[in-house]
Amino acid sequence: RVPRMSEMFAVLAEHAGRRLYIDIKNVDLEQLAREAHAARVEGRLILASTDYDVIRAWKRLAPAFSTLHWMGGSEEQLAGRFAELRKTRFAGITQLQIHVRATQTGDGEAFTPSPRFLIEAGRELRRHGILFQALPWQSGDPKLFWKLMDLGVASFATDYPDAAMTAIRDYYAQPRRP
């Protein structure tokens, strides 16, 4: 059974340290905003969408709530989407997630988008105060998590939470170069 949002909000109320991402497909944003405000879950509810117009509409209705704009595709497609977001100075986005796909090559491992793209994306997002997140697509490889953190990724979405947490703990346990 799928729980009602009011039930999910009640769980949030019982567990103050938890946050809830809601991946929007088709929803009445006004009703969601009313219910979220009534449940007092500001700061713990994060609306996630690939549709930037939905994110902007949500922030107009619920400015105290967080958002996650997630995007996949080729590096060229991602560059085009970033160009569009620059026009609004990334308004309304509090987190941005890029899907990263790793592939094996004769020279080792490569991934899309390129390391250079990810470094620049991370720098730009940090200038706007936006949390930079990656989804290492279908990978629980700790080495990939490490590489992404080296490139400036600050957060992960994953289907392999245990592998991600182990990689993050191990990464930050290592002595850092000055």
Side-chain angles (χ1 to χ4, degrees), residues 70-86:
W70 59 273
M71 55 180 73
S74 70
E75 189 167 319
E76 183 179 326
Q77 291 168 321
L78 292 169
R81 292 180 76 181
F82 263 72
E84 289 300 311
L85 294 173
R86 275 186 208 104

Side-chain angles (χ1 to χ4, degrees), residues 43 59 97 101-102 157 160 162 168:
K59 285 301 270 188
Q97 177 192 107
R101 296 181 186 273
Y160 305 92
D162 293 338
I168 292 166

